[in-house]
Amino acid sequence: MKNKKYKVGYTTGVFDLFHIGHLNILKKSKNLCHELIVGISTDDLVFTNKRKYPVINLKERLEIVKSIKFVDKVVIQKNSNKFTAHRYYKFDVLFVGDDWKGDPKWIEYEQMLNKKNVDVIYFPYTKSTSSTKINQILDKFR
């Protein structure tokens, strides 16, 4: 696609137990921007936010996401602050799952980023598959 709306897009995630939902957000994001930067949460950040560590360690998650053809650059996300990320990566669009839409923190991100001419685009959350569901199934066998 030569006529993509955005120059630099940014999305973040844990990308643990990589599945179709992860692929969907990366593909949809890349379809709208020339360069897609993906932030991968550190193991410690995941623990801070979810009170559990990812199954796949950071080094391996970085390698997996880096190998996806829709991804142009992979960076380590040490904190969840999207304003800090914008200062570093100068993206003009932020992509996120719609499970965050309406969350007070994300409303604030939208307002602040919009002032910097950055759009926030929400993609439908893939309800059929998630790392949480996969972990729940695996827990039955552990």
Side-chain angles (χ1 to χ4, degrees):
M1 287 176 70
K2 291 182 180 179
N3 297 325
K4 295 186 179 187
K5 183 173 181 181
Y6 301 99
K7 183 177 179 189
V8 180
Y10 183 69
T11 192
T12 64
V14 178
F15 296 97
D16 195 21
L17 303 173
F18 196 89
H19 56 74
I20 193 68
H22 296 135
L23 188 62
N24 286 342
I25 197 167
L26 297 175
K27 185 177 184 178
K28 289 176 182 178
S29 298
K30 181 61 178 178
N31 282 336
L32 294 174
C33 64
H34 291 282
E35 180 184 6
L36 179 60
I37 302 170
V38 180
I40 311 292
S41 300
T42 64
D43 295 347
D44 289 338
L45 180 61
V46 175
F47 186 81
T48 298
N49 292 335
K50 297 185 177 194
R51 288 290 172 235
K52 63 180 184 172
Y53 286 103
V55 174
I56 310 294
N57 69 49
L58 177 62
K59 182 179 177 186
E60 292 177 5
R61 290 182 288 121
L62 288 166
E63 193 62 33
I64 290 166
V65 175
K66 193 184 302 183
S67 299
I68 305 299
K69 70 179 182 179
F70 308 114
V71 176
D72 297 296
K73 182 177 182 179
V74 174
V75 297
I76 295 173
Q77 178 182 231
K78 294 179 182 175
N79 68 61
S80 300
N81 190 312
K82 306 309 179 214
F83 311 123
T84 302
H86 181 258
R87 280 197 301 270
Y88 285 111
Y89 308 119
K90 308 295 185 216
F91 50 86
D92 54 340
V93 61
L94 174 64
F95 303 107
V96 63
D98 68 359
D99 50 324
W100 291 106
K101 191 167 188 143
D103 179 275
K105 180 169 61 174
W106 279 92
I107 291 170
E108 182 182 358
Y109 285 150
E110 279 185 68
Q111 292 169 346
M112 297 296 288
L113 290 169
N114 287 165
K115 289 178 185 175
K116 300 271 188 188
N117 294 317
V118 175
D119 291 337
V120 176
I121 295 179
Y122 293 91
F123 289 126
Y125 182 75
T126 306
K127 292 182 174 86
S128 62
T129 306
S130 73
S131 297
T132 300
K133 284 184 178 182
I134 293 170
N135 267 314
Q136 288 170 345
I137 292 167
L138 291 174
D139 283 343
K140 293 177 183 177
F141 298 99
R142 291 183 182 146

